[in-house]
Amino acid sequence: MDCLFCKIVSAQIPANVIHKDALVTAFRDINPQAPTHILIVPNEHIGGAADLTPAHTPTLAALFAAASQLAAAKGLSGYRLVINQGAEAGQSVFHLHLHLLGGRRFAWPPG
Ligand code: AMP
């Protein structure tokens, strides 16, 4: 499968990887929207949030556990976690990813 994030997970293409475990990989977003902008992705290919099933529960837990650990490591007391599902919502890479954004104030509602 020709998937950018699968290739980052398998180190076929380079990325600034800052965490990897049995279930998830985290790396810096190439076009950061905040002082801290990290993407956390499942190691297995999942197209997006709409493709999640109960069988993915351990992977989903690992995504959020990595996010809270990385946020703590960066000293972030507040941060935003985002999953864009579908092109209408801004999804541009169709491999599930959690955006961890921090280091500035965020507006609500989001753009
Ligand atoms: P989304 O628009 O929610 O699908 O998010 C995809 C994110 O992937 C964007 O924030 C991009 O900046 C980021 N991105 C695209 N290519 C790369 C890459 N090679 N390395 C790191 N981040 C990337």
Side-chain angles (χ1 to χ4, degrees):
M1 180 186 299
D2 191 28
C3 169
L4 174 64
F5 288 174
C6 283
K7 288 177 179 168
I8 289 177
V9 168
S10 62
Q12 289 176 65
I13 68 167
N16 194 334
V17 174
I18 52 179
H19 169 88
K20 185 160 191 182
D21 61 38
L23 293 174
V24 302
T25 299
F27 51 91
R28 294 194 185 282
D29 196 292
I30 202 168
N31 182 24
Q33 301 301 312
T36 296
H37 189 172
I38 296 167
L39 301 176
I40 308 153
V41 311
N43 294 341
E44 68 170 306
H45 184 83
I46 301 169
D51 299 307
L52 287 165
T53 70
H56 294 120
T57 300
T59 299
L60 206 45
L63 280 179
F64 282 91
S68 60
Q69 286 162 17
L70 289 165
K74 300 290 175 197
L76 300 174
S77 53
Y79 50 90
R80 184 165 287 180
L81 299 174
V82 174
I83 295 175
N84 295 320
Q85 167 56 43
E88 277 180 48
Q91 187 177 7
S92 59
V93 178
F94 291 85
H95 179 130
L96 178 67
H97 48 282
L98 185 61
H99 294 259
L100 167 60
L101 296 144
R104 67 169 173 85
R105 294 197 73 84
F106 295 98
W108 194 263

